[in-house]
Amino acid sequence: MTASNYFKFAASWPQGSDDVAEITLRVGDRVISRLADTSKATVRDFFRASATGLALWLADNWWRLRWETINAAGMPKVDWRLRHELNSASGGTLWPPVTIFSVGDRIAFAPSIGKRVVDGPQAYLPFEIGMVAAVEYERELDSFFATVIEHCARTEDGNALTILLQQITTERNDPELAGWRRLEACLGFDPDAAPDHVVGALVALEGVAGADGVEEAAHAQPGSNAAQFLSLVIEATRESSVEVDLSLADKLTRNWNLPNYPSPWQMAEAAAVELRSIIGAETGRISDAIFGDIFKARWADLKSSTATARKLPYGARMGNEAKSRVALQTVALHDRRFELARQFGDAIWHKNTSFGIVSRAKSDRQKFQRAFAHSLLSPLDEIQQVIDVNNPTPEAMQVAARRLGVHCSVVRNQLVYKGYLPFENTNEEAEAA
């Protein structure tokens, strides 16, 4: 399936209808709008709903749907769910149970976090989380909006939709205003709802952290305290004694045999395999000495350094690839190895950047870091040497973790993401996609 028809958000109107349409939503081979009618013993790939009602919800939440990611842990707040769960759209329609959110340059379509089963003669068939390139998402929504406007322009809601879309188009075409709206959304605010001093303070920090770094900081710690925490993390990085050389990241050829649209996990695994080959550690646990050599540092110095970001919500690195200063959060040795591996992974993901953070956010950049650290320190092949992956026990996972020098959760996560253990929530599904 080509990029041009991978994502479909389409509407068609039965003869005589000026609003209610038959709407199809598909991501790749996942037909999210597939609906079973038990009373008629039929299955169809569309739902019937007010096209303008749906378009108004998508337009009202355009910036947050496009740029805001899912919460890092726990159940998302009600405000977040109202902006991202299609079930919250008005109209009383049996909407598909789908949650839409950003992970950076891709948009996720995941099963609703709330109630997914609707009692009655009609029910949506289950689907797995799917990802769409953000540019394709924007293009398809623009096409959907245009189709709805063309058909429903003379209705009262059609007029309101036209005005709203004109406003969004103006914002998208103004680089400064679009940047402001984007940052508001990353912070979890509706347009014009974020305190001006917070957004302004973050924009001012772009001189140190860069636009991408500020955006990652907003994802890592959304809300009104985002700029304050970023300032504290920058200060903690400057005060850190941890210095690493990340120039080895440039040695990766990146000639990876990957599918056309690889996930962060697929790219991270390929990068980890190549790095292991470069350092001559294709199998087994990476020794402390070799691990230190990756950063052109002594492991004794790395493990004993003060974690200057220990009490902060995320860590960071500043400098160039040959010499970066790192604010660490972790103290335990296996956690520190994992955190440093993430920093190296970030240098692979975002080349030639002088600032990068390590957080719990669900952006693709953070997902790549975590996947890289998992794959570098705890490859599935090594786990399989210790564990019967078809029947993993907590005791066996502990043994594998000790052998590889990682936390037990790292081993468990590998088994989850490889399909040997079930996902526990939407966050884990999003992490693997």
Side-chain angles (χ1 to χ4, degrees):
M1 187 171 294
T2 64
S4 61
N5 65 2
Y6 182 84
F7 175 49
K8 182 179 182 180
F9 212 141
S12 61
W13 286 263
Q15 186 174 0
S17 173
D18 61 354
D19 184 22
V20 175
E22 296 175 349
I23 302 171
T24 301
L25 175 56
R26 187 191 70 212
V27 178
D29 59 359
R30 302 163 175 84
V31 182
I32 294 171
S33 55
R34 183 162 289 165
L35 189 64
D37 190 328
T38 56
S39 63
K40 298 179 181 179
T42 60
V43 175
R44 65 175 189 263
D45 287 348
F46 61 85
F47 61 97
R48 297 184 179 93
S50 164
T52 51
L54 175 57
L56 280 167
W57 183 83
L58 291 167
D60 275 335
N61 299 298
W62 195 93
W63 289 101
R64 291 183 67 174
L65 289 170
R66 173 60 187 88
W67 295 108
E68 186 180 16
T69 191
I70 193 170
N71 293 2
M75 177 68 74
K77 295 180 180 179
V78 172
D79 174 75
W80 188 94
R81 294 178 61 186
L82 287 173
R83 301 302 186 274
H84 293 274
E85 287 191 353
L86 185 54
N87 302 20
S88 65
S90 61
T93 301
L94 181 62
W95 300 106
V98 60
T99 301
I100 308 169
F101 56 90
S102 173
V103 294
D105 290 333
R106 299 187 302 161
I107 304 297
F109 286 77
S112 288
I113 297 165
K115 185 178 180 182
R116 302 183 187 182
V117 179
V118 178
D119 297 327
Q122 294 183 336
Y124 287 96
L125 299 185
F127 64 93
E128 295 180 351
I129 188 171
M131 293 287 180
V132 179
V135 291
E136 186 174 355
Y137 168 84
E138 293 185 21
R139 184 170 59 244
E140 185 69 4
L141 251 64
D142 287 342
S143 176
F144 176 76
F145 289 145
T147 302
V148 174
I149 289 294
E150 181 181 359
H151 191 89
C152 308
R154 284 175 287 186
T155 67
E156 182 177 348
D157 284 345
N159 183 57
L161 177 62
T162 299
I163 295 171
L164 178 56
L165 290 174
Q166 288 172 345
Q167 177 185 336
I168 294 173
T169 299
T170 298
E171 293 170 345
R172 291 168 65 183
N173 291 335
D174 182 327
E176 185 174 346
L177 183 52
W180 191 277
R181 289 284 183 260
R182 173 174 173 170
L183 198 48
E184 285 179 316
C186 291
L187 290 168
F189 290 102
D190 292 333
D192 290 328
D196 287 351
H197 71 276
V198 174
V199 180
L202 284 172
V203 171
L205 289 170
E206 288 183 359
V208 177
D212 290 337
V214 166
E215 184 176 315
E216 285 297 313
H219 285 312
Q221 193 64 31
S224 298
N225 294 323
Q228 177 185 354
F229 279 117
L230 178 54
S231 295
L232 290 172
V233 169
I234 291 172
E235 181 182 350
T237 309
R238 287 170 172 160
E239 292 177 351
S240 175
S241 63
V242 181
E243 290 187 353
V244 296
D245 185 324
L246 301 173
S247 58
L248 184 59
D250 281 341
K251 303 296 183 183
L252 273 65
T253 65
R254 301 171 184 262
N255 294 326
W256 307 323
N257 184 20
L258 297 174
N260 290 333
Y261 303 100
S263 70
W265 271 88
Q266 290 170 317
M267 290 186 287
E269 286 181 327
V273 169
E274 184 176 0
L275 179 60
R276 275 183 167 259
S277 176
I278 290 172
I279 63 177
E282 286 89 346
T283 61
R285 180 185 186 275
I286 297 177
S287 70
D288 291 339
I290 292 177
F291 187 76
D293 288 343
I294 292 173
F295 302 92
K296 296 184 180 178
R298 296 173 62 247
W299 172 244
D301 296 331
L302 294 176
K303 74 176 183 180
S304 62
S305 298
T306 301
T308 56
R310 185 178 182 184
K311 296 182 180 180
L312 297 175
Y314 53 90
R317 63 179 172 88
M318 291 174 57
N320 54 46
E321 291 180 339
K323 185 179 181 181
S324 290
R325 196 174 294 272
V326 181
L328 295 170
Q329 289 189 289
T330 56
V331 175
L333 299 186
H334 51 60
D335 291 335
R336 180 156 292 193
R337 280 166 59 99
F338 192 85
E339 184 178 10
L340 285 164
R342 286 187 63 180
Q343 289 287 6
F344 192 92
D346 192 63
I348 298 173
W349 175 267
H350 207 305
K351 296 180 65 177
N352 303 318
T353 182
S354 60
F355 185 86
I357 72 170
V358 164
S359 78
R360 297 177 181 176
K362 293 298 180 181
S363 67
D364 275 351
R365 182 172 177 175
Q366 300 299 318
K367 289 163 62 176
F368 178 88
Q369 294 175 15
R370 288 188 288 267
F372 176 78
H374 277 88
S375 300
L376 180 70
L377 301 176
S378 182
L380 183 64
D381 289 347
E382 300 301 325
I383 294 174
Q384 290 175 317
Q385 301 298 316
V386 182
I387 296 177
D388 177 1
V389 293
N390 294 307
N391 185 31
T393 65
E395 295 77 16
M397 286 189 279
Q398 287 282 5
V399 171
R402 285 194 296 269
R403 178 174 296 189
L404 293 169
V406 297
H407 192 278
C408 188
S409 63
V410 175
V411 174
R412 178 195 169 274
N413 289 343
Q414 284 285 66
L415 295 175
V416 169
Y417 303 143
K418 291 298 184 180
Y420 295 107
L421 289 173
F423 294 115
E424 291 186 354
N425 51 48
T426 300
N427 264 321
E428 285 195 348
E429 291 182 75
E431 182 74 12

